Amino acid sequence: MNLKQFYLDKTEVTNRQYHDFLRSLNKADALLHSPQGWEKSAKEGYAIYPTGMDNYPVTGVSYEDAAAFAGWVKKRLPTEDEWEAAARGQRGFRYPWGNDYEAKRANDANADPGDVVAVGSFPGDVSPFGALDMAGNVMEWVGTLEGGSPRRRSSRRTRGS
């Protein structure tokens, strides 16, 4: 695979970062892009995340929500190939840390933390490029399908995660 140089954020997008995005929008757009599960706040005019969850990754967002956030920060969603390259490194590891699975190294079913945790809580889940949580915690949106085909925008009738 031959990729052009690209940048990827070190961590997943946090609730705090996504909240700042919502605050920059008009009320109607903020409500449209509000994550599933966030409480609607009459005082704020948009949805807010639970107290104490600032550094947790945002969840309950659709592809359109993720793409809108990326555009707001003047970035874009990585392609599937870019995400894979960032996760596996130049040597193409099976896991970010190497080819052998190591239980409890990432926030996955074997780590048993109970749920999503704050970004970077599993420092062993780091790619050769320094990206955290590439094997665990939450799934990330990418801008293309596997193989590079463009992702089709989905309907706004339902909220994805």
Side-chain angles (χ1 to χ4, degrees):
M1 171 181 355
N2 192 8
L3 296 173
K4 292 181 182 178
Q5 184 176 6
F6 65 96
Y7 293 94
L8 188 80
D9 288 347
K10 183 175 182 173
T11 67
E12 298 149 323
V13 174
T14 66
N15 287 325
R16 165 55 62 197
Q17 291 169 314
Y18 198 83
H19 180 260
D20 290 344
F21 162 62
L22 292 179
R23 290 181 59 196
S24 76
L25 303 174
N26 65 51
K27 185 176 180 178
D29 286 341
L31 289 173
L32 179 67
H33 290 294
S34 292
Q36 194 173 23
W38 282 24
E39 188 174 318
K40 305 292 189 266
S41 170
K43 177 183 174 193
E44 299 278 344
Y46 49 85
I48 56 174
Y49 58 91
T51 302
M53 305 290 279
D54 289 8
N55 290 320
Y56 282 65
V58 65
T59 60
V61 296
S62 68
Y63 169 77
E64 288 80 6
D65 298 334
F69 173 84
W72 179 72
V73 293
K74 298 183 177 25
K75 298 178 183 179
R76 63 172 173 81
L77 296 177
T79 66
E80 171 72 18
D81 290 341
E82 289 169 340
W83 191 95
E84 286 287 332
R88 296 171 180 253
Q90 293 177 325
R91 294 176 53 195
F93 292 134
R94 175 174 273 179
Y95 303 99
W97 54 82
N99 288 322
D100 297 322
Y101 179 76
E102 296 176 28
K104 302 192 186 293
R105 187 151 185 169
N107 183 19
D108 62 10
N110 293 312
D112 197 28
D115 204 355
V116 176
V117 296
V119 299
S121 293
F122 284 76
D125 184 6
V126 59
S127 80
F129 297 110
L132 297 169
D133 302 319
M134 297 297 281
N137 216 14
V138 299
M139 295 176 64
E140 293 90 3
W141 282 110
V142 293
T144 62
L145 301 173
E146 190 172 352
S149 300
R151 180 177 289 282
R152 301 173 125 229
R153 293 194 179 265
S154 63
S155 167
R156 291 300 303 181
R157 288 181 281 154
T158 59
R159 299 288 304 176
S161 60

